[in-house]
Amino acid sequence: IRPVQASPDITGKVEESIKSAEETCAGDATSGECVAAWDEVEELSAAASHARDKKKTSDPLEEYCKDNPETDECRTYDN
Amino acid sequence: MAACTVYSTQPLRTNISIPTSSKTHVGFNQKQVVFYTTTKKSSNRRTNSNNRRYLITCGAGDSQTIVIGLAADSGCGKSTFMRRLTSVFGGAAEPPKGGNPDSNTLISDTTTVICLDDYHSLDRTGRKEKGVTALDPRANDFDLMYEQVKAIKEGVSVQKPIYNHVTGLLDPPELIKPPKILVIEGLHPMYDSRVRDLLDFSIYLDISNEVKFAWKIQRDMAERGHSLESIKASIEARKPDFEAYIDPQKQYADAVIEVLPTQLIPDDNEGKILRVRLIQKEGVKYFSPVYLFDDGSTISWIPCGRKLTCSYPGIKFSYGPETYKGNEVSVVEMDGQFDRLDELIYVESHLSNLSSKFYGEVTQQMLKHADFPGSNNGTGLFQTIVGLKIRDLFEQIVASRAETPVGAAKA
């Protein structure tokens, strides 16, 4: 399965934050700045993964039926 | 669910004024309705009882919100748990309509889930400047958290801030109305003792380091820029704060769901097969722990055989009393995974005290969400059971509150 990418701006932000975290931590890996930088990476990765989950949902027919409930392929009657 | 008491009071001479509630801003929490009847004066005898007033007070449970706390680290399946929990109460949970698209709140008919990240006192740049993580109590406003959760519990709507996870900024607040059940989920629901005392039930999702690492690889490797090293570095960097501020909360939890690597396969580090333990505190009011076969015994059970199809490495259940962080607990454990989810009914029939409404409810709930992560192992099973336990707790609290005004009327 091809992985679904989150929207490009979040993906870009994740990439950027990882780079900056690696740079910040080059000097001292236990400093507050370094730890905060990796925390930002975690927060953005979680946001990206939530965005991906939202995006990859559903069936093309169901998407279509949301907008066109009156068409032949979408009509459902309870009785 | 509303229990109403009718009081008939002495006739009054003048027109009855309808008492106005002192808390009119509460909206749907109006508690009193007044009816009065006027019998026609033309009747000759009963002239002195022409005005009769009835006061109906509804001591309904929905006049006070029940608060549940869920603690877990980010990326540990809080949202899956939340979806399973809201599904037990029926209806899908959705973000508030027409508000901020990045709102973290989920609302369904009975339940409102708020994310405690909304109570960050420092935004992303603020934390970077001070060199603190979101796990650090200094980055969170516990005074506001306490005030707002307390207000909602008392039936008052609040304007809660929104922490935007995409931009890392604190957005303008949104209105939260008091629901029947309020779930507060995040890193610190049991950190502050004032907030902790407001909770009617608390859960801690405890994911072991090995499993956390495996899950984050699955989650993040699809994203550009992430490598094994960056995932490892991120976990390592957050570890000291996690151990100092988040982990100690599990001693206060009424239920802990612990997720560990399997013991069925020696040296497994894939994190695909899990050993999940449901640790249930004894002696919690309105909560009676689930047990396997015999309450209080120590049991190990391998259900695989003629009645349950298992492929390698099989399934193993255990149950027994233990001591956890100085508390008496009952632990149910499941190691391994199901091949066929419908055969879960066989396991369900051997568990007792599930608080289900009908035989097979646990299996039915699991089948309803067969596509959620964890549906074929103990994480999904125990999350569903905890969901049923919370429903039971909610119903008992509502019933006990409804009893009080009825009893008072009889006396």
Side-chain angles (χ1 to χ4, degrees):
Chain A
I1 315 153
R2 233 185 86 245
V4 192
Q5 290 259 287
S7 61
D9 56 315
I10 303 184
T11 309
K13 271 188 185 162
V14 174
E15 237 176 314
E16 238 173 74
S17 70
I18 292 172
K19 266 198 203 116
S20 87
E22 278 166 350
E23 280 162 23
T24 322
C25 295
D28 182 3
T30 51
S31 65
E33 292 80 46
C34 165
V35 170
W38 279 120
D39 189 42
E40 184 189 318
V41 172
E42 170 58 31
E43 193 174 285
L44 284 166
S45 313
S49 123
H50 284 148
R52 270 201 308 276
D53 282 348
K54 258 190 214 162
K55 234 175 134 184
K56 84 179 155 198
T57 48
S58 85
D59 180 330
L61 180 64
E62 267 174 29
E63 282 290 286
Y64 171 77
C65 287
K66 250 185 228 162
D67 303 326
N68 307 286
E70 284 313 304
T71 51
D72 279 347
E73 46 280 69
C74 298
R75 263 181 284 169
T76 49
Y77 298 100
D78 288 336
N79 52 39
Chain B
M1 203 52 70
C4 297
T5 330
V6 181
Y7 302 96
S8 119
T9 55
Q10 287 303 306
L12 296 175
R13 299 187 74 197
T14 51
N15 280 336
I16 287 133
S17 61
I18 292 172
T20 47
S21 167
S22 57
K23 276 189 200 168
T24 38
H25 56 288
V26 178
F28 61 83
N29 267 331
Q30 294 283 345
K31 282 172 227 162
Q32 293 192 332
V33 190
V34 176
F35 293 89
Y36 63 94
T37 55
T38 313
T39 44
K40 280 187 180 168
K41 280 201 166 186
S42 58
S43 69
N44 36 15
R45 265 183 268 161
R46 301 185 307 167
T47 39
N48 57 346
S49 66
N50 49 2
N51 276 334
R52 187 163 285 164
R53 179 187 172 195
Y54 296 99
L55 177 65
I56 302 183
T57 53
C58 294
D62 41 18
S63 61
Q64 206 192 348
T65 299
I66 284 162
V67 188
I68 314 279
L70 171 66
D73 196 7
S74 85
C76 289
K78 278 195 299 264
S79 31
T80 308
F81 190 6
M82 278 340 339
R83 286 195 285 170
R84 285 189 201 279
L85 177 64
T86 44
S87 157
V88 168
F89 288 97
E94 280 171 357
K97 285 192 182 72
N100 187 331
D102 291 318
S103 163
N104 305 309
T105 307
L106 288 172
I107 297 175
S108 74
D109 295 346
T110 48
T111 323
T112 295
V113 183
I114 60 176
C115 173
L116 293 178
D117 289 352
D118 292 337
Y119 294 106
H120 281 338
S121 56
L122 298 171
D123 62 8
R124 195 177 287 157
T125 39
R127 293 198 298 269
K128 260 190 154 175
E129 276 165 13
K130 294 223 165 136
V132 294
T133 64
L135 309 166
D136 196 304
R138 284 173 289 171
N140 295 282
D141 186 348
F142 288 106
D143 295 334
L144 184 68
M145 190 192 291
Y146 168 66
E147 275 163 32
Q148 296 206 333
V149 174
K150 185 166 180 278
I152 295 175
K153 190 163 183 173
E154 286 166 357
V156 180
S157 302
V158 298
Q159 289 284 346
K160 179 189 63 57
I162 299 175
Y163 178 74
N164 188 319
H165 285 99
V166 180
T167 62
L169 299 170
L170 285 156
D171 285 352
E174 61 184 348
L175 181 75
I176 304 288
K177 288 185 186 157
K180 284 185 179 159
I181 300 165
L182 175 74
V183 184
I184 55 172
E185 57 105 348
L187 295 163
H188 307 93
M190 297 140 318
Y191 184 83
D192 186 279
S193 64
R194 296 166 300 167
V195 180
R196 199 160 64 222
D197 290 341
L198 292 173
L199 300 175
D200 293 294
F201 195 74
S202 51
I203 308 143
Y204 185 96
L205 275 184
D206 189 9
I207 316 295
S208 69
N209 291 327
E210 297 93 327
V211 177
K212 207 182 266 184
F213 186 53
W215 283 5
K216 292 205 170 161
I217 289 173
Q218 267 177 38
R219 183 191 76 181
D220 291 338
M221 283 307 239
E223 208 59 55
R224 263 183 301 151
H226 262 300
S227 60
L228 270 179
E229 285 70 42
S230 68
I231 295 168
K232 212 176 244 167
S234 170
I235 292 180
E236 286 301 319
R238 296 171 82 252
K239 211 181 225 168
D241 278 0
F242 182 81
E243 280 168 4
Y245 310 120
I246 311 303
D247 201 58
Q249 293 179 92
K250 56 191 184 197
Q251 63 186 298
Y252 305 116
D254 298 319
V256 177
I257 297 179
E258 212 171 61
V259 183
L260 304 152
T262 182
Q263 287 181 335
L264 298 171
I265 306 170
D267 306 317
D268 175 79
N269 47 15
E270 258 185 288
K272 290 230 168 85
I273 299 186
L274 302 173
R275 180 162 74 97
V276 188
R277 286 155 57 83
L278 173 61
I279 302 164
Q280 312 161 89
K281 210 180 247 180
E282 289 285 344
V284 177
K285 205 179 178 195
Y286 306 124
F287 172 63
S288 63
V290 172
Y291 64 88
L292 186 64
F293 296 111
D294 183 40
D295 193 4
S297 302
T298 300
I299 289 157
S300 168
W301 179 46
I302 296 171
C304 305
R306 290 194 189 104
K307 288 184 189 151
L308 191 72
T309 323
C310 304
S311 59
Y312 181 77
I315 302 176
K316 187 180 171 194
F317 274 86
S318 329
Y319 164 74
E322 274 179 39
T323 314
Y324 181 81
K325 313 267 165 206
N327 295 309
E328 281 302 303
V329 295
S330 284
V331 182
V332 184
E333 176 184 313
M334 174 183 162
D335 196 351
Q337 62 185 37
F338 302 109
D339 293 326
R340 296 174 48 129
L341 194 50
D342 43 351
E343 288 176 345
L344 176 61
I345 189 72
Y346 178 66
V347 171
E348 185 184 343
S349 63
H350 291 88
L351 289 163
S352 303
N353 245 351
L354 288 170
S355 301
S356 51
K357 299 240 169 176
F358 52 87
Y359 174 67
E361 191 177 15
V362 173
T363 307
Q364 196 208 50
Q365 279 291 337
M366 293 276 285
L367 283 169
K368 213 162 142 187
H369 305 295
D371 55 331
F372 285 8
S375 289
N376 62 347
N377 62 42
T379 55
L381 174 66
F382 293 147
Q383 287 175 358
T384 305
I385 291 175
V386 170
L388 296 179
K389 281 283 160 200
I390 290 174
R391 183 182 65 188
D392 190 38
L393 175 109
F394 167 72
E395 285 172 356
Q396 286 185 62
I397 292 178
V398 167
S400 75
R401 278 186 198 151
E403 254 168 39
T404 328
V406 172
K410 275 177 198 158

